[in-house]
Amino acid sequence: MISQLFSLVVSHFRGILRDRILFAVFGVAAVMILLVPALSNFSMRQVQELSITLSFSVVSGTLLVVTLLLGASSIWRDIERRYTSSILSLPVSRATYLLSKFCSLALFLLCTVLVLGVGCAAVITLASATYPSDIPIHWGNIVLALCGMLVEYLLLGALALLLSSLSTSFYLPFFGTLVIYFCGTASQEVYEYVTGEFGKGIDPVSIAMIKMAYYLIPNFSAFNFQVQAVYALPVPTEGLLLTSLYAIVYTGILLLLAVLSFERRELQ
């Protein structure tokens, strides 16, 4: 099974590299990174801080687009091209096929973070050298923030694969994943609002529903370490371990549900 999984991952990854749309996305991302030093100069007092923030925005936006395109379209595209039927006619289980899809997506996201991370390091170094800041550059926190983005979009990719295993079209996984992503990035703030002083006037039933949604929807804001990276703030080790455990468990559950749903799905 491991050899089959490895072979499928390599095959899927090569297919991803042949996708011209992704090259266009990377072209736009490269242009945006090159513009970061110029845009950072608009803030005369916080050039370094703004360059880090803008660099992270470019990386996060690129990962979001790549995850949505690959996670939402990979299974649908293979079914439309009859590629899935030919693969599953071999001694390959559906679980192996689906896990290979996720692993190839994870590998591509890792390569994306590495490439864009090098570009971010270059523009941040240039900005800090042009206008030195009183805040030192904490490269460990910058790497941690990039790793947090990677884990965040791996979780989102697992969610996209789950919706793809349930849907027969491209639109439901794409827009469904996008909506859940926006809800997950704001769920922490909404939860703190309704459970705090300002939520005392809200209907208890509404509060209960919001709390239920908070625990069901992935909390993507938990993987955001950009503030710590920008201002060189310490990161609690205990919170980091809990966040890592949360990502592993949640991603595992999503992949398990995706495998179970794909096993029951009838393929034409």
Side-chain angles (χ1 to χ4, degrees):
M1 177 180 176
I2 296 178
S3 60
Q4 293 177 346
L5 180 63
F6 180 78
S7 300
L8 288 176
V9 170
V10 173
S11 177
H12 295 325
F13 186 74
R14 290 176 178 174
I16 293 174
L17 295 179
R18 291 193 294 266
D19 197 331
R20 297 181 180 179
I21 297 179
L22 296 179
F23 282 103
V25 173
F26 272 99
V28 175
V31 172
M32 294 299 295
I33 289 181
L34 293 176
L35 290 176
V36 166
L39 296 176
S40 301
N41 290 330
F42 286 101
S43 177
M44 298 303 296
R45 296 184 178 181
Q46 293 184 326
V47 175
Q48 174 183 299
E49 292 81 355
L50 184 58
S51 65
I52 298 175
T53 301
L54 292 177
S55 299
F56 286 161
S57 298
V58 174
V59 176
S60 180
T62 304
L63 291 176
L64 176 60
V65 174
V66 169
T67 304
L68 288 174
L69 291 178
L70 294 180
S73 66
S74 56
I75 296 179
W76 167 78
R77 185 182 301 177
D78 286 351
I79 293 177
E80 289 292 321
R81 296 176 178 177
R82 305 290 182 180
Y83 177 76
T84 305
S85 301
S86 60
I87 289 295
L88 296 180
S89 62
L90 302 174
V92 177
S93 64
R94 295 193 179 191
T96 303
Y97 168 79
L98 194 66
L99 291 177
S100 67
K101 281 290 183 181
F102 177 76
C103 291
S104 61
L105 172 62
L107 181 59
F108 188 77
L109 289 178
L110 175 61
C111 295
T112 302
V113 170
L114 291 176
V115 173
L116 295 182
V118 172
C120 291
V123 298
I124 292 171
T125 303
L126 177 62
S128 62
T130 305
Y131 296 96
S133 174
D134 296 333
I135 302 175
I137 300 178
H138 199 301
W139 292 108
N141 284 3
I142 292 177
V143 173
L144 176 62
L146 293 174
C147 292
M149 292 183 195
L150 176 62
V151 174
E152 174 184 354
Y153 289 104
L154 286 176
L155 177 57
L156 186 67
L159 176 62
L161 284 178
L162 172 59
L163 296 180
S164 297
S165 65
L166 296 170
S167 175
T168 58
S169 67
F170 166 78
Y171 299 102
L172 175 60
F174 184 89
F175 291 105
T177 304
L178 185 61
V179 169
I180 295 176
Y181 173 75
F182 286 131
C183 294
T185 53
S187 61
Q188 184 67 40
E189 297 179 0
V190 175
Y191 177 81
E192 293 177 356
Y193 179 84
V194 300
T195 55
E197 182 179 356
F198 296 100
K200 294 181 179 179
I202 303 178
D203 182 29
V205 178
S206 301
I207 294 179
M209 294 179 63
I210 292 174
K211 289 183 177 180
M212 183 182 299
Y214 169 76
Y215 289 112
L216 290 177
I217 297 176
N219 185 7
F220 294 108
S221 62
F223 310 103
N224 188 348
F225 301 100
Q226 297 186 24
V227 175
Q228 289 84 349
V230 172
Y231 298 103
L233 300 176
V235 180
T237 305
E238 182 180 357
L240 186 60
L241 293 176
L242 291 176
T243 302
S244 302
L245 181 61
Y246 173 80
I248 294 172
V249 173
Y250 212 120
T251 303
I253 292 174
L254 291 176
L255 291 177
L256 177 61
L257 293 176
V259 169
L260 293 177
S261 62
F262 195 64
E263 290 281 358
R264 297 173 178 270
R265 181 172 176 177
E266 295 183 2
L267 300 176
Q268 297 179 354

